[in-house]
């Protein structure tokens, strides 16, 4: 019986230790920078992201911050189309952005 309890304790400690190990990061991060032709940040631009491999819009649109950046922090690896729109500017579309797992892509 003592041997059984010792083996059970070892197995339990293994599973507890294994659950504490960091796992692989499966998603990536998109940081989309929207600028006007002079390079100034475009604040409150609407930025949307479409997954071209799944033919689906994965997240709701984001607004750019005071630096002209829209963050999409947890995106699955894929090929994306980015669309940016702001009053007074023409719509900008960027196709073929390739995002890998655990990558931060700033575009």
């Amino acid at each position: 019986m003592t041997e059984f309890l010792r083996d059970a304790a070892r197995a339990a400690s293994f599973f507890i230790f294994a659950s504490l190990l960091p796992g692989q990061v499966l998603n990536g991060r998109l940081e989309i920078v929207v600028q006007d032709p002079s390079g100034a940040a475009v604040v409150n631009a609407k930025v949307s992201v479409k997954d071209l491999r799944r033919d689906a819009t994965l997240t709701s649109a984001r607004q750019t911050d005071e630096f002209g950046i829209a963050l999409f922090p947890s995106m699955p690896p894929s090929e994306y189309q980015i669309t940016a729109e702001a009053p007074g500017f023409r719509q900008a579309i960027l196709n073929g952005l390739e995002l890998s797992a655990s990558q931060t892509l700033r575009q």
Side-chain angles (χ1 to χ4, degrees):
M1 182 72 162
T2 305
E3 190 174 320
F4 172 76
L5 291 175
R6 186 177 43 222
D7 290 343
R10 282 186 191 144
S13 64
F14 171 76
F15 287 115
I16 290 170
F17 178 73
S19 69
L20 297 176
L21 294 175
Q24 282 187 328
V25 176
L26 301 178
N27 289 335
R29 174 183 168 105
L30 289 173
E31 298 179 357
I32 308 303
V33 181
V34 181
Q35 298 175 325
D36 69 13
S38 72
V42 178
V43 178
N44 293 324
K46 177 183 168 187
V47 179
S48 56
V49 176
K50 181 178 182 180
D51 186 327
L52 296 175
R53 292 199 185 121
R54 294 173 184 85
D55 194 29
T57 301
L58 293 181
T59 61
S60 59
R62 304 267 201 276
Q63 298 293 120
T64 56
D65 62 14
E66 67 271 18
F67 304 106
I69 299 172
L71 298 177
F72 297 86
S74 185
M75 303 294 288
S78 193
E79 181 182 5
Y80 290 99
Q81 176 188 66
I82 309 298
T83 304
E85 303 174 79
F89 295 93
R90 64 181 174 81
Q91 182 184 60
I93 298 175
L94 182 59
N95 284 304
L97 274 171
E98 192 71 37
L99 181 67
S100 302
S102 65
Q103 175 188 19
T104 296
L105 183 59
R106 188 175 182 119
Q107 191 66 39

